[in-house]
Amino acid sequence: MRLVIQRVKHASVTVEGKLISSIGKGLMVLVGVENGDTEEDAQWIASKTAGMRIFDDENGVMNRSVVDIDGELLAISQFTLTASTKKGNRPSYIRAAGHELAIPMYEKYCSLLEDAAGRPVLKGIFGADMKVELLNDGPVTIIIDSRLKE
């Protein structure tokens, strides 16, 4: 699994002009599921997301997690995170998991993140043409790959 985690002041997702989900201060997470991803990948990456210390403490040092600051969570599925750009200029999505794996793995990640963070995870609509808006705070953007464990 690959994630792009963004520390946000606020974020929202809209589908066909209708607001689906909206959060205030917290994390907006883009989630890409690859062929071969397992529940172990989802567990590792959900734990990392909940514990990621990227919010400032009283000294202005990034030392607090989304849990520590009582922040909100929004997870958006995004198959393009699995793109390979090795050849040419057209990304290949051959590594992207099909719906039969991607949907349950995305849902499992969200469920595990809810458990790890002790708060709800708001979502977009899997496979929909989503319009995502956010105010990146910092900006702080972290990329995590469960296969590389980084």
Side-chain angles (χ1 to χ4, degrees):
M1 295 180 81
R2 290 184 180 176
L3 303 183
V4 173
I5 299 173
Q6 296 180 295
R7 184 178 80 179
V8 299
K9 292 284 190 182
H10 59 82
S12 65
V13 60
T14 304
V15 175
E16 295 180 2
K18 181 181 175 194
L19 179 66
I20 303 301
S21 295
S22 178
I23 65 168
K25 184 176 182 177
L27 298 177
M28 200 280 299
V29 184
L30 302 174
V31 182
V33 179
E34 292 182 303
N35 288 316
D37 282 342
T38 65
E39 189 170 323
E40 182 180 303
D41 291 301
Q43 179 65 55
W44 183 83
I45 216 159
S47 177
K48 279 289 196 186
T49 305
M52 187 73 46
R53 298 185 316 171
I54 57 175
F55 291 91
D56 292 347
D57 64 16
E58 59 281 351
N59 297 315
V61 176
M62 284 195 279
N63 202 27
R64 297 202 175 169
S65 71
V66 69
V67 175
D68 296 332
I69 62 120
D70 199 27
E72 297 180 278
L73 297 160
L74 174 61
I76 306 291
S77 61
Q78 187 175 1
F79 82 95
T80 59
L81 289 180
T82 67
S84 172
T85 57
K86 190 173 185 177
K87 292 183 180 178
N89 292 320
R90 177 185 237 176
S92 168
Y93 302 106
I94 192 96
R95 295 188 305 215
H99 282 68
E100 66 284 345
L101 174 62
I103 292 172
M105 287 301 297
Y106 165 72
E107 293 294 337
K108 176 55 89 173
Y109 166 77
C110 292
S111 174
L112 291 166
L113 180 56
E114 283 186 352
D115 291 346
R119 66 204 62 238
V121 174
L122 300 182
K123 303 176 200 171
I125 297 177
F126 192 95
D129 181 13
M130 295 177 276
K131 306 304 179 206
V132 179
E133 293 186 53
L134 63 119
L135 179 58
N136 192 314
D137 182 17
V140 175
T141 302
I142 308 291
I143 299 171
I144 301 179
D145 188 312
S146 66
R147 294 191 183 176
L148 300 176
K149 295 291 190 257
E150 62 177 38

